[in-house]
């Protein structure tokens, strides 16, 4: 995975799309709070895949969409 300066904004834009497309999320959590659930962390200069947030109940389908978006933005 490469470290492109546009990757993080692109990933956040994809998270916004995921949030807007899910009728449940739109009423349960704000876009900013949803994005904050998936911070981009680096290890040895390589972005690490986001972990399933323990503090908020994101269902499996939504989390899989987040992982796909991450892979598309950082590969």
């Amino acid at each position: 995975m490469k470290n492109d300066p546009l990757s993080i904004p692109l990933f956040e834009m994809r998270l916004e799309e995921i949030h807007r497309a899910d009728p449940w999320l739109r009423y349960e959590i704000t876009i900013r709070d949803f994005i904050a659930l998936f911070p981009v962390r680096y290890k040895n200069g390589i972005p690490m895949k986001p972990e399933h947030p323990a503090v908020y109940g994101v269902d499996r389908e939504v989390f899989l969409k987040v992982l796909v978006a991450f892979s598309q933005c950082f590969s």
Side-chain angles (χ1 to χ4, degrees):
M1 292 184 179
K2 60 186 177 183
N3 190 358
D4 181 354
L6 295 177
S7 296
I8 291 176
L10 182 60
F11 179 55
E12 290 179 351
M13 187 171 58
R14 294 290 309 278
L15 291 175
E16 288 181 19
E17 292 171 2
I18 292 167
H19 182 273
R20 286 190 181 108
D22 189 291
W24 181 80
L25 282 176
R26 291 189 313 205
Y27 296 105
E28 294 295 321
I29 187 171
T30 66
I31 287 177
R32 288 287 128 212
D33 289 341
F34 181 70
I35 291 171
L37 292 175
F38 305 103
V40 178
R41 295 191 173 102
Y42 291 87
K43 183 175 182 179
N44 299 324
I46 299 171
M48 304 303 294
K49 286 187 179 182
E51 296 179 7
H52 196 282
V55 295
Y56 192 81
V58 173
D59 70 24
R60 183 177 182 271
E61 183 178 331
V62 170
F63 185 62
L64 289 175
K65 290 178 185 178
V66 169
L67 291 178
V68 168
F70 179 85
S71 294
Q72 290 174 341
C73 295
F74 291 96
S75 61

